[in-house]
């Protein structure tokens, strides 16, 4: 009875491990051939040997760039090959910090001895690939190009962010979240500035200062807790102010601000607003970048603001 293959069972989840296992199998078999031919050479050194035979002398950085390998991996191979007297290392004349590698007489001789074996290895590998019934090398190239445009780290982070976003609800004001409106805003105000008199007035009574005059407050809710908020204050004549936007520290950088802003803009459009403006501080670069992303433009200097921290006005015209 065949033993279970856990790596196969894991499928895509163990793709890297499976590719490594396949590589180890191929390298191991080729290594046996080298040893039978009395060649003191490791398969993992071949690409560097080939490159140095082709281009004569290269720095560690150049080798890493051309082989698309990490700098530490190339240094390791270089040290191993130098120990086997396959390569000679010297300092760069223009930059003593750089190590230049070139094949030694033994390295060149080894490359020549490998040629008959390489012909058969290439032939056998081609037959193996053809036996799969697919263009495996083309598939690998496509995968490599996809990872160049977006690596696995970025893909996983994006997926986690999308999952989080799908679990976030944007809800209109509810009395049970009133204390969160104050708490979320005081958190960032105390971090960057201070809670001013006007802040205290608005945060202490949002029903009267915002909601009663055709304004709105939205909350971002995650697992039943308010993690973000934004308000729209109506100043008459279809002019609204976007204010009191906050996302709690532990949830920042997860696109919650995008969701809140989108909801705020949808509300303003339904109210047939002509202008939506906000006041901010020039030091809040991430916030300004987010506003610009949604179409806000830097406006005239702030005049007669109720807040000492305000030194930048931004507006969006519908």
């Amino acid at each position: 009875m065949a033993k279970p293959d856990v790596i196969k069972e894991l499928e895509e989840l163990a793709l890297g491990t499976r590719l490594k296992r396949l590589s180890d199998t191929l390298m191991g078999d080729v290594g046996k051939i080298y040893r039978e031919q009395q060649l003191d050479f490791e398969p993992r050194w071949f690409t560097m040997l080939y490159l140095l035979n082709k281009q004569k002398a290269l720095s560690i950085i150049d080798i890493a760039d051309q082989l698309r390998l990490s700098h530490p991996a190339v240094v390791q191979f270089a040290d191993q090959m130098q120990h086997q007297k396959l390569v000679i290392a010297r300092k760069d004349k223009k930059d003593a910090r750089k190590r230049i590698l070139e094949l030694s007489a033994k390295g060149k001789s080894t490359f020549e001895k490998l040629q008959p074996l390489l012909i058969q290895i290439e032939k056998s590998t081609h037959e193996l690939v053809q036996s799969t019934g697919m263009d495996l090398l083309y598939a690998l190239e496509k995968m490599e190009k996809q990872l160049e445009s977006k690596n696995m780290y970025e893909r996983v982070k994006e997926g986690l962010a999308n999952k989080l976003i799908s679990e976030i609800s944007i809800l209109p004001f509810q009395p049970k979240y009133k204390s969160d409106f104050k708490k979320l805003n005081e958190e960032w105000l105390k971090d960057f500035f201070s809670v001013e008199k006007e802040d205290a007035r608005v945060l202490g009574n949002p029903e009267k200062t915002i909601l009663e005059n055709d304004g709105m407050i939205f909350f971002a809710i995650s697992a039943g807790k308010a993690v973000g908020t934004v308000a729209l204050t109506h100043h008459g004549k279809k002019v609204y102010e976007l204010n009191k936007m906050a996302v709690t520290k532990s949830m920042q950088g997860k696109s919650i601000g995008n969701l809140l802003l989108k909801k705020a803009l949808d509300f303003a459009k339904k109210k047939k607003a002509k202008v939506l403006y906000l006041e901010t501080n020039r030091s809040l670069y991430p916030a300004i970048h987010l506003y610009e992303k949604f179409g806000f433009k830097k406006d005239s200097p702030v005049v007669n603001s109720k807040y000492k921290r305000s030194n930048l006005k931004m507006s969006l015209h519908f």
Side-chain angles (χ1 to χ4, degrees), residues 24-70:
D24 288 345
T25 298
L26 294 173
M27 292 282 194
D29 288 343
V30 171
K32 289 178 184 178
I33 299 295
Y34 290 161
R35 287 191 292 275
E36 288 179 1
Q37 299 297 316
Q38 284 78 51
L39 286 169
D40 191 11
F41 187 76
E42 293 293 333
R44 62 180 179 274
W45 300 336
F46 172 69
T47 53
M48 190 182 296
L49 186 80
Y50 171 84
L51 183 60
L52 288 173
N53 182 74
K54 182 181 179 181
Q55 298 198 24
K56 308 309 177 187
L58 290 169
S59 70
I60 295 289
I61 294 175
D62 288 335
I63 293 172
D65 287 344
Q66 294 194 46
L67 295 182
R68 303 292 195 273
L69 294 176
S70 68

Short mmCIF file of all heavy atoms in Angstrom, two decimals, residues 24-70:
data_model
loop_
_atom_site.label_atom_id
_atom_site.label_comp_id
_atom_site.label_asym_id
_atom_site.label_seq_id
_atom_site.Cartn_x
_atom_site.Cartn_y
_atom_site.Cartn_z
N ASP A 24 15.40 19.12 -5.75
CA ASP A 24 16.34 18.28 -5.00
C ASP A 24 16.50 16.91 -5.66
O ASP A 24 17.61 16.36 -5.72
CB ASP A 24 15.86 18.09 -3.56
CG ASP A 24 16.01 19.36 -2.73
OD1 ASP A 24 16.73 20.27 -3.17
OD2 ASP A 24 15.40 19.44 -1.65
N THR A 25 15.38 16.37 -6.18
CA THR A 25 15.43 15.06 -6.84
C THR A 25 16.28 15.13 -8.10
O THR A 25 17.15 14.28 -8.34
CB THR A 25 14.00 14.59 -7.21
OG1 THR A 25 13.23 14.45 -6.00
CG2 THR A 25 14.03 13.26 -7.93
N LEU A 26 16.03 16.16 -8.93
CA LEU A 26 16.80 16.31 -10.17
C LEU A 26 18.28 16.55 -9.87
O LEU A 26 19.16 15.96 -10.50
CB LEU A 26 16.22 17.45 -11.00
CG LEU A 26 14.80 17.24 -11.56
CD1 LEU A 26 14.30 18.52 -12.21
CD2 LEU A 26 14.79 16.10 -12.56
N MET A 27 18.53 17.45 -8.93
CA MET A 27 19.93 17.76 -8.57
C MET A 27 20.63 16.52 -8.02
O MET A 27 21.80 16.26 -8.33
CB MET A 27 19.96 18.87 -7.52
CG MET A 27 19.50 20.22 -8.02
SD MET A 27 20.77 21.06 -8.99
CE MET A 27 20.10 22.71 -9.04
N GLY A 28 19.92 15.75 -7.21
CA GLY A 28 20.52 14.56 -6.62
C GLY A 28 20.91 13.54 -7.67
O GLY A 28 22.01 12.95 -7.62
N ASP A 29 20.03 13.32 -8.64
CA ASP A 29 20.32 12.35 -9.70
C ASP A 29 21.48 12.80 -10.57
O ASP A 29 22.35 12.00 -10.95
CB ASP A 29 19.07 12.12 -10.55
CG ASP A 29 18.01 11.32 -9.80
OD1 ASP A 29 18.36 10.69 -8.79
OD2 ASP A 29 16.84 11.35 -10.23
N VAL A 30 21.50 14.07 -10.91
CA VAL A 30 22.60 14.59 -11.73
C VAL A 30 23.91 14.53 -10.95
O VAL A 30 24.98 14.23 -11.51
CB VAL A 30 22.31 16.04 -12.19
CG1 VAL A 30 23.54 16.66 -12.85
CG2 VAL A 30 21.14 16.05 -13.17
N GLY A 31 23.84 14.77 -9.64
CA GLY A 31 25.04 14.68 -8.81
C GLY A 31 25.64 13.28 -8.83
O GLY A 31 26.88 13.13 -8.81
N LYS A 32 24.78 12.27 -8.86
CA LYS A 32 25.27 10.88 -8.94
C LYS A 32 26.05 10.66 -10.24
O LYS A 32 27.10 10.00 -10.25
CB LYS A 32 24.09 9.90 -8.89
CG LYS A 32 23.41 9.80 -7.54
CD LYS A 32 22.24 8.83 -7.62
CE LYS A 32 21.47 8.78 -6.31
NZ LYS A 32 20.29 7.87 -6.40
N ILE A 33 25.54 11.22 -11.33
CA ILE A 33 26.22 11.10 -12.62
C ILE A 33 27.60 11.74 -12.56
O ILE A 33 28.60 11.18 -13.00
CB ILE A 33 25.39 11.75 -13.75
CG1 ILE A 33 24.04 11.05 -13.89
CG2 ILE A 33 26.16 11.73 -15.07
CD1 ILE A 33 24.13 9.60 -14.33
N TYR A 34 27.66 12.95 -11.95
CA TYR A 34 28.95 13.64 -11.84
C TYR A 34 29.94 12.80 -11.06
O TYR A 34 31.12 12.66 -11.44
CB TYR A 34 28.77 15.00 -11.14
CG TYR A 34 28.04 16.05 -11.96
CD1 TYR A 34 27.47 17.16 -11.35
CD2 TYR A 34 27.92 15.94 -13.35
CE1 TYR A 34 26.81 18.13 -12.08
CE2 TYR A 34 27.26 16.90 -14.09
CZ TYR A 34 26.71 17.99 -13.45
OH TYR A 34 26.05 18.96 -14.18
N ARG A 35 29.48 12.23 -9.94
CA ARG A 35 30.40 11.46 -9.10
C ARG A 35 30.89 10.20 -9.82
O ARG A 35 32.06 9.81 -9.70
CB ARG A 35 29.70 11.09 -7.78
CG ARG A 35 29.54 12.29 -6.84
CD ARG A 35 29.10 11.89 -5.46
NE ARG A 35 27.74 11.36 -5.44
CZ ARG A 35 26.66 12.12 -5.34
NH1 ARG A 35 26.78 13.44 -5.27
NH2 ARG A 35 25.46 11.57 -5.31
N GLU A 36 29.99 9.55 -10.59
CA GLU A 36 30.39 8.36 -11.35
C GLU A 36 31.43 8.69 -12.41
O GLU A 36 32.23 7.84 -12.81
CB GLU A 36 29.17 7.71 -12.00
CG GLU A 36 28.26 7.01 -11.01
CD GLU A 36 27.03 6.39 -11.68
OE1 GLU A 36 26.91 6.52 -12.93
OE2 GLU A 36 26.21 5.80 -10.98
N GLN A 37 31.39 9.94 -12.87
CA GLN A 37 32.35 10.38 -13.88
C GLN A 37 33.60 11.01 -13.25
O GLN A 37 34.39 11.66 -13.94
CB GLN A 37 31.68 11.40 -14.83
CG GLN A 37 30.50 10.85 -15.59
CD GLN A 37 30.89 9.71 -16.52
OE1 GLN A 37 31.90 9.79 -17.22
NE2 GLN A 37 30.09 8.64 -16.53
N GLN A 38 33.75 10.80 -11.94
CA GLN A 38 34.90 11.35 -11.18
C GLN A 38 35.02 12.88 -11.31
O GLN A 38 36.11 13.43 -11.40
CB GLN A 38 36.22 10.70 -11.62
CG GLN A 38 36.44 9.30 -11.09
CD GLN A 38 35.66 8.26 -11.86
OE1 GLN A 38 35.74 8.20 -13.09
NE2 GLN A 38 34.92 7.40 -11.16
N LEU A 39 33.86 13.54 -11.33
CA LEU A 39 33.86 15.00 -11.36
C LEU A 39 33.48 15.53 -9.97
O LEU A 39 32.41 15.24 -9.45
CB LEU A 39 32.85 15.52 -12.38
CG LEU A 39 33.24 15.38 -13.85
CD1 LEU A 39 32.07 15.68 -14.75
CD2 LEU A 39 34.42 16.29 -14.17
N ASP A 40 34.40 16.26 -9.37
CA ASP A 40 34.16 16.84 -8.04
C ASP A 40 33.39 18.15 -8.21
O ASP A 40 33.95 19.25 -8.09
CB ASP A 40 35.50 17.08 -7.34
CG ASP A 40 35.31 17.43 -5.86
OD1 ASP A 40 34.18 17.27 -5.37
OD2 ASP A 40 36.29 17.85 -5.23
N PHE A 41 32.11 18.00 -8.51
CA PHE A 41 31.31 19.17 -8.88
C PHE A 41 29.86 18.97 -8.42
O PHE A 41 29.31 17.88 -8.51
CB PHE A 41 31.34 19.37 -10.40
CG PHE A 41 30.70 20.64 -10.88
CD1 PHE A 41 31.34 21.86 -10.73
CD2 PHE A 41 29.44 20.61 -11.47
CE1 PHE A 41 30.75 23.04 -11.17
CE2 PHE A 41 28.84 21.78 -11.91
CZ PHE A 41 29.50 23.00 -11.76
N GLU A 42 29.24 20.06 -7.93
CA GLU A 42 27.85 20.03 -7.46
C GLU A 42 26.92 20.66 -8.50
O GLU A 42 27.24 21.73 -9.05
CB GLU A 42 27.72 20.78 -6.14
CG GLU A 42 28.44 20.13 -4.97
CD GLU A 42 27.82 18.81 -4.58
OE1 GLU A 42 26.61 18.61 -4.81
OE2 GLU A 42 28.56 17.95 -4.05
N PRO A 43 25.79 20.03 -8.78
CA PRO A 43 24.84 20.58 -9.77
C PRO A 43 24.42 22.02 -9.49
O PRO A 43 24.19 22.80 -10.43
CB PRO A 43 23.65 19.63 -9.68
CG PRO A 43 24.23 18.34 -9.19
CD PRO A 43 25.32 18.74 -8.24
N ARG A 44 24.32 22.38 -8.21
CA ARG A 44 23.86 23.73 -7.87
C ARG A 44 24.85 24.82 -8.30
O ARG A 44 24.52 26.00 -8.32
CB ARG A 44 23.56 23.85 -6.38
CG ARG A 44 24.76 23.61 -5.48
CD ARG A 44 24.35 23.75 -4.01
NE ARG A 44 25.47 23.51 -3.10
CZ ARG A 44 25.82 22.32 -2.66
NH1 ARG A 44 25.15 21.25 -3.05
NH2 ARG A 44 26.84 22.19 -1.82
N TRP A 45 26.09 24.41 -8.63
CA TRP A 45 27.09 25.38 -9.06
C TRP A 45 27.05 25.62 -10.58
O TRP A 45 27.72 26.53 -11.07
CB TRP A 45 28.50 24.90 -8.71
CG TRP A 45 28.75 24.67 -7.26
CD1 TRP A 45 28.09 25.23 -6.20
CD2 TRP A 45 29.75 23.80 -6.68
NE1 TRP A 45 28.60 24.77 -5.01
CE2 TRP A 45 29.62 23.89 -5.27
CE3 TRP A 45 30.73 22.97 -7.22
CZ2 TRP A 45 30.44 23.17 -4.40
CZ3 TRP A 45 31.55 22.26 -6.36
CH2 TRP A 45 31.41 22.35 -4.96
N PHE A 46 26.28 24.82 -11.30
CA PHE A 46 26.38 24.84 -12.76
C PHE A 46 26.06 26.20 -13.38
O PHE A 46 26.77 26.66 -14.27
CB PHE A 46 25.47 23.78 -13.38
CG PHE A 46 25.39 23.90 -14.88
CD1 PHE A 46 26.49 23.59 -15.67
CD2 PHE A 46 24.23 24.38 -15.51
CE1 PHE A 46 26.44 23.74 -17.05
CE2 PHE A 46 24.18 24.53 -16.88
CZ PHE A 46 25.29 24.20 -17.66
N THR A 47 24.99 26.85 -12.93
CA THR A 47 24.60 28.12 -13.58
C THR A 47 25.69 29.18 -13.41
O THR A 47 25.95 29.97 -14.31
CB THR A 47 23.27 28.65 -13.01
OG1 THR A 47 23.34 28.71 -11.57
CG2 THR A 47 22.11 27.75 -13.43
N MET A 48 26.36 29.18 -12.26
CA MET A 48 27.44 30.15 -12.05
C MET A 48 28.66 29.78 -12.89
O MET A 48 29.31 30.66 -13.47
CB MET A 48 27.82 30.23 -10.57
CG MET A 48 28.78 31.38 -10.27
SD MET A 48 29.30 31.49 -8.54
CE MET A 48 27.75 31.83 -7.74
N LEU A 49 28.94 28.50 -12.98
CA LEU A 49 30.04 28.05 -13.83
C LEU A 49 29.79 28.43 -15.28
O LEU A 49 30.69 28.95 -15.97
CB LEU A 49 30.19 26.52 -13.71
CG LEU A 49 31.40 25.91 -14.42
CD1 LEU A 49 32.66 26.09 -13.57
CD2 LEU A 49 31.17 24.42 -14.71
N TYR A 50 28.58 28.20 -15.74
CA TYR A 50 28.20 28.55 -17.11
C TYR A 50 28.34 30.05 -17.36
O TYR A 50 28.89 30.47 -18.39
CB TYR A 50 26.77 28.09 -17.37
CG TYR A 50 26.19 28.58 -18.68
CD1 TYR A 50 26.42 27.89 -19.87
CD2 TYR A 50 25.42 29.75 -18.73
CE1 TYR A 50 25.90 28.34 -21.07
CE2 TYR A 50 24.90 30.21 -19.92
CZ TYR A 50 25.14 29.51 -21.09
OH TYR A 50 24.63 29.97 -22.28
N LEU A 51 27.84 30.85 -16.42
CA LEU A 51 27.87 32.30 -16.58
C LEU A 51 29.30 32.83 -16.62
O LEU A 51 29.63 33.68 -17.46
CB LEU A 51 27.09 32.96 -15.45
CG LEU A 51 26.94 34.49 -15.49
CD1 LEU A 51 26.23 34.93 -16.77
CD2 LEU A 51 26.18 34.98 -14.26
N LEU A 52 30.15 32.32 -15.73
CA LEU A 52 31.53 32.79 -15.70
C LEU A 52 32.31 32.32 -16.92
O LEU A 52 33.22 33.01 -17.40
CB LEU A 52 32.22 32.31 -14.42
CG LEU A 52 31.77 33.01 -13.13
CD1 LEU A 52 32.38 32.35 -11.92
CD2 LEU A 52 32.11 34.49 -13.18
N ASN A 53 31.98 31.17 -17.44
CA ASN A 53 32.63 30.70 -18.67
C ASN A 53 32.22 31.58 -19.85
O ASN A 53 33.01 31.83 -20.76
CB ASN A 53 32.25 29.25 -18.95
CG ASN A 53 32.95 28.71 -20.19
OD1 ASN A 53 34.13 28.42 -20.17
ND2 ASN A 53 32.20 28.57 -21.28
N LYS A 54 31.00 32.07 -19.82
CA LYS A 54 30.47 32.90 -20.91
C LYS A 54 30.98 34.34 -20.83
O LYS A 54 31.33 34.94 -21.85
CB LYS A 54 28.95 32.87 -20.85
CG LYS A 54 28.25 33.65 -21.93
CD LYS A 54 26.73 33.56 -21.76
CE LYS A 54 26.02 34.37 -22.83
NZ LYS A 54 24.54 34.31 -22.67
N GLN A 55 31.03 34.91 -19.62
CA GLN A 55 31.36 36.33 -19.48
C GLN A 55 32.71 36.58 -18.81
O GLN A 55 33.06 37.72 -18.52
CB GLN A 55 30.24 37.05 -18.73
CG GLN A 55 28.91 36.98 -19.48
CD GLN A 55 27.92 38.02 -18.99
OE1 GLN A 55 28.30 39.04 -18.45
NE2 GLN A 55 26.65 37.75 -19.21
N LYS A 56 33.45 35.53 -18.50
CA LYS A 56 34.85 35.60 -18.02
C LYS A 56 34.99 36.10 -16.58
O LYS A 56 35.48 35.39 -15.73
CB LYS A 56 35.71 36.45 -18.96
CG LYS A 56 35.61 36.05 -20.43
CD LYS A 56 35.85 34.56 -20.64
CE LYS A 56 35.67 34.17 -22.10
NZ LYS A 56 35.73 32.70 -22.29
N ALA A 57 34.59 37.34 -16.30
CA ALA A 57 34.78 37.89 -14.95
C ALA A 57 33.58 38.75 -14.57
O ALA A 57 33.17 39.62 -15.35
CB ALA A 57 36.06 38.71 -14.88
N LEU A 58 33.03 38.50 -13.39
CA LEU A 58 31.84 39.23 -12.94
C LEU A 58 31.90 39.44 -11.43
O LEU A 58 32.49 38.65 -10.70
CB LEU A 58 30.57 38.45 -13.27
CG LEU A 58 30.16 38.34 -14.74
CD1 LEU A 58 29.04 37.31 -14.89
CD2 LEU A 58 29.72 39.70 -15.29
N SER A 59 31.26 40.51 -10.99
CA SER A 59 31.15 40.75 -9.55
C SER A 59 30.03 39.89 -8.98
O SER A 59 29.17 39.39 -9.71
CB SER A 59 30.85 42.23 -9.28
OG SER A 59 29.53 42.54 -9.70
N ILE A 60 30.02 39.76 -7.67
CA ILE A 60 28.96 39.00 -6.99
C ILE A 60 27.59 39.60 -7.31
O ILE A 60 26.62 38.88 -7.59
CB ILE A 60 29.19 39.01 -5.47
CG1 ILE A 60 30.47 38.28 -5.10
CG2 ILE A 60 27.99 38.41 -4.74
CD1 ILE A 60 30.41 36.78 -5.26
N ILE A 61 27.53 40.92 -7.31
CA ILE A 61 26.26 41.61 -7.58
C ILE A 61 25.77 41.32 -9.00
O ILE A 61 24.59 41.05 -9.23
CB ILE A 61 26.40 43.14 -7.36
CG1 ILE A 61 26.65 43.43 -5.89
CG2 ILE A 61 25.14 43.87 -7.84
CD1 ILE A 61 26.93 44.89 -5.58
N ASP A 62 26.70 41.37 -9.96
CA ASP A 62 26.32 41.10 -11.36
C ASP A 62 25.83 39.66 -11.52
O ASP A 62 24.87 39.40 -12.26
CB ASP A 62 27.52 41.34 -12.28
CG ASP A 62 27.85 42.82 -12.43
OD1 ASP A 62 26.93 43.64 -12.24
OD2 ASP A 62 29.01 43.15 -12.71
N ILE A 63 26.49 38.74 -10.84
CA ILE A 63 26.08 37.33 -10.92
C ILE A 63 24.68 37.16 -10.34
O ILE A 63 23.82 36.50 -10.93
CB ILE A 63 27.08 36.42 -10.18
CG1 ILE A 63 28.43 36.44 -10.91
CG2 ILE A 63 26.55 35.00 -10.08
CD1 ILE A 63 29.54 35.73 -10.15
N ALA A 64 24.46 37.78 -9.18
CA ALA A 64 23.13 37.70 -8.53
C ALA A 64 22.05 38.27 -9.44
O ALA A 64 20.96 37.70 -9.56
CB ALA A 64 23.16 38.43 -7.20
N ASP A 65 22.35 39.39 -10.09
CA ASP A 65 21.38 40.03 -10.99
C ASP A 65 21.05 39.15 -12.19
O ASP A 65 19.88 39.00 -12.56
CB ASP A 65 21.91 41.39 -11.47
CG ASP A 65 21.87 42.45 -10.39
OD1 ASP A 65 21.18 42.23 -9.38
OD2 ASP A 65 22.55 43.48 -10.54
N GLN A 66 22.08 38.56 -12.78
CA GLN A 66 21.87 37.79 -14.00
C GLN A 66 21.24 36.41 -13.74
O GLN A 66 20.52 35.88 -14.59
CB GLN A 66 23.18 37.63 -14.77
CG GLN A 66 23.71 38.95 -15.31
CD GLN A 66 24.80 38.77 -16.34
OE1 GLN A 66 24.68 37.96 -17.25
NE2 GLN A 66 25.88 39.54 -16.22
N LEU A 67 21.52 35.85 -12.57
CA LEU A 67 20.93 34.56 -12.23
C LEU A 67 19.61 34.70 -11.48
O LEU A 67 18.93 33.71 -11.23
CB LEU A 67 21.92 33.74 -11.38
CG LEU A 67 23.23 33.32 -12.05
CD1 LEU A 67 24.06 32.47 -11.09
CD2 LEU A 67 22.95 32.54 -13.34
N ARG A 68 19.26 35.96 -11.13
CA ARG A 68 18.04 36.23 -10.35
C ARG A 68 18.06 35.45 -9.03
O ARG A 68 17.06 34.90 -8.60
CB ARG A 68 16.79 35.85 -11.14
CG ARG A 68 16.64 36.53 -12.48
CD ARG A 68 16.37 38.04 -12.34
NE ARG A 68 15.88 38.60 -13.58
CZ ARG A 68 16.66 39.05 -14.56
NH1 ARG A 68 17.97 38.96 -14.45
NH2 ARG A 68 16.13 39.57 -15.65
N LEU A 69 19.24 35.44 -8.40
CA LEU A 69 19.39 34.79 -7.11
C LEU A 69 19.71 35.84 -6.06
O LEU A 69 20.14 36.95 -6.38
CB LEU A 69 20.53 33.76 -7.16
CG LEU A 69 20.34 32.54 -8.06
CD1 LEU A 69 21.61 31.69 -8.07
CD2 LEU A 69 19.15 31.71 -7.61
N SER A 70 19.49 35.50 -4.81
CA SER A 70 19.80 36.43 -3.74
C SER A 70 21.31 36.60 -3.59
O SER A 70 22.09 35.69 -3.93
CB SER A 70 19.21 35.95 -2.41
OG SER A 70 19.87 34.78 -1.97
#
